Short mmCIF file of all heavy atoms in Angstrom, two decimals:
data_model
loop_
_atom_site.label_atom_id
_atom_site.label_comp_id
_atom_site.label_asym_id
_atom_site.label_seq_id
_atom_site.Cartn_x
_atom_site.Cartn_y
_atom_site.Cartn_z
N ARG N 543 -64.75 33.16 -66.03
CA ARG N 543 -65.24 32.97 -64.66
C ARG N 543 -64.05 32.69 -63.75
O ARG N 543 -63.41 31.66 -63.89
CB ARG N 543 -66.26 31.84 -64.63
CG ARG N 543 -67.59 32.31 -65.13
CD ARG N 543 -68.58 31.22 -65.43
NE ARG N 543 -69.87 31.81 -65.79
CZ ARG N 543 -70.14 32.39 -66.95
NH1 ARG N 543 -69.22 32.44 -67.88
NH2 ARG N 543 -71.32 32.91 -67.18
N ARG P 457 -79.30 42.65 -74.05
CA ARG P 457 -79.90 41.42 -73.55
C ARG P 457 -78.77 40.50 -73.12
O ARG P 457 -77.75 40.38 -73.80
CB ARG P 457 -80.71 40.78 -74.68
CG ARG P 457 -81.19 39.39 -74.37
CD ARG P 457 -81.70 38.68 -75.60
NE ARG P 457 -81.89 37.27 -75.27
CZ ARG P 457 -83.01 36.62 -75.50
NH1 ARG P 457 -84.04 37.23 -76.08
NH2 ARG P 457 -83.13 35.35 -75.17
N GLN P 458 -78.97 39.82 -71.97
CA GLN P 458 -77.97 38.87 -71.51
C GLN P 458 -78.65 37.57 -71.13
O GLN P 458 -79.49 37.54 -70.21
CB GLN P 458 -77.19 39.43 -70.32
CG GLN P 458 -76.03 38.53 -69.89
CD GLN P 458 -75.15 39.17 -68.83
OE1 GLN P 458 -75.58 40.03 -68.08
NE2 GLN P 458 -73.89 38.73 -68.76
N ASP P 459 -78.31 36.51 -71.82
CA ASP P 459 -78.80 35.18 -71.48
C ASP P 459 -77.94 34.61 -70.35
O ASP P 459 -76.79 35.03 -70.15
CB ASP P 459 -78.76 34.27 -72.70
CG ASP P 459 -79.76 34.73 -73.74
OD1 ASP P 459 -80.96 34.66 -73.47
OD2 ASP P 459 -79.32 35.19 -74.82
N CYS P 460 -78.51 33.63 -69.65
CA CYS P 460 -77.85 33.07 -68.48
C CYS P 460 -76.43 32.60 -68.81
O CYS P 460 -76.24 31.82 -69.76
CB CYS P 460 -78.68 31.92 -67.94
SG CYS P 460 -78.09 31.30 -66.36
N ARG P 461 -75.44 33.11 -68.08
CA ARG P 461 -74.05 32.72 -68.21
C ARG P 461 -73.46 33.02 -69.59
O ARG P 461 -72.52 32.38 -70.03
CB ARG P 461 -73.90 31.22 -67.88
CG ARG P 461 -74.40 30.88 -66.48
CD ARG P 461 -74.24 29.40 -66.19
NE ARG P 461 -72.85 29.03 -65.96
CZ ARG P 461 -72.21 29.20 -64.82
NH1 ARG P 461 -72.83 29.75 -63.79
NH2 ARG P 461 -70.95 28.82 -64.70
N LYS P 462 -74.03 34.02 -70.26
CA LYS P 462 -73.53 34.44 -71.56
C LYS P 462 -73.16 35.92 -71.50
O LYS P 462 -73.42 36.60 -70.52
CB LYS P 462 -74.60 34.23 -72.64
CG LYS P 462 -75.03 32.80 -72.83
CD LYS P 462 -73.99 32.00 -73.57
CE LYS P 462 -74.51 30.64 -73.93
NZ LYS P 462 -73.50 29.86 -74.67
N GLU P 463 -72.56 36.41 -72.59
CA GLU P 463 -72.19 37.80 -72.64
C GLU P 463 -73.38 38.67 -73.03
O GLU P 463 -74.31 38.22 -73.70
CB GLU P 463 -71.04 38.03 -73.64
CG GLU P 463 -71.42 37.87 -75.11
CD GLU P 463 -71.30 36.45 -75.58
OE1 GLU P 463 -71.37 35.51 -74.76
OE2 GLU P 463 -71.14 36.28 -76.81
N PRO P 464 -73.37 39.95 -72.64
CA PRO P 464 -74.42 40.88 -73.07
C PRO P 464 -74.34 41.11 -74.58
O PRO P 464 -73.26 41.15 -75.16
CB PRO P 464 -74.09 42.17 -72.33
CG PRO P 464 -73.16 41.78 -71.24
CD PRO P 464 -72.40 40.60 -71.74
N LYS P 465 -75.51 41.26 -75.19
CA LYS P 465 -75.57 41.56 -76.63
C LYS P 465 -76.55 42.71 -76.85
O LYS P 465 -77.59 42.77 -76.19
CB LYS P 465 -76.01 40.34 -77.43
CG LYS P 465 -74.97 39.22 -77.41
CD LYS P 465 -75.39 38.05 -78.29
CE LYS P 465 -74.30 36.98 -78.27
NZ LYS P 465 -74.66 35.80 -79.09
N SER P 501 -88.48 32.56 -76.09
CA SER P 501 -87.09 32.93 -76.36
C SER P 501 -86.72 34.33 -75.86
O SER P 501 -85.55 34.70 -75.88
CB SER P 501 -86.81 32.85 -77.86
OG SER P 501 -87.70 33.70 -78.57
N ASP P 502 -87.72 35.08 -75.39
CA ASP P 502 -87.43 36.40 -74.82
C ASP P 502 -86.92 36.29 -73.39
O ASP P 502 -86.46 37.29 -72.81
CB ASP P 502 -88.68 37.28 -74.83
CG ASP P 502 -89.14 37.66 -76.23
OD1 ASP P 502 -88.29 37.69 -77.14
OD2 ASP P 502 -90.35 37.93 -76.40
N SER P 503 -87.00 35.13 -72.80
CA SER P 503 -86.51 34.93 -71.42
C SER P 503 -85.03 35.25 -71.35
O SER P 503 -84.21 34.63 -72.05
CB SER P 503 -86.76 33.48 -70.97
OG SER P 503 -88.13 33.21 -70.92
N ALA P 504 -84.69 36.22 -70.53
CA ALA P 504 -83.30 36.70 -70.43
C ALA P 504 -83.28 37.81 -69.39
O ALA P 504 -84.30 38.17 -68.81
CB ALA P 504 -82.81 37.24 -71.78
N THR P 505 -82.09 38.36 -69.18
CA THR P 505 -81.96 39.57 -68.37
C THR P 505 -81.72 40.74 -69.30
O THR P 505 -80.90 40.66 -70.22
CB THR P 505 -80.80 39.43 -67.37
OG1 THR P 505 -81.10 38.36 -66.47
CG2 THR P 505 -80.62 40.72 -66.57
#
Side-chain angles (χ1 to χ4, degrees):
Chain N
R543 282 167 175 75
Chain P
R457 170 193 169 128
Q458 186 173 25
D459 293 294
C460 188
R461 302 180 73 80
K462 299 285 189 179
E463 70 272 24
K465 293 184 178 179
S501 58
D502 293 334
S503 296
T505 296

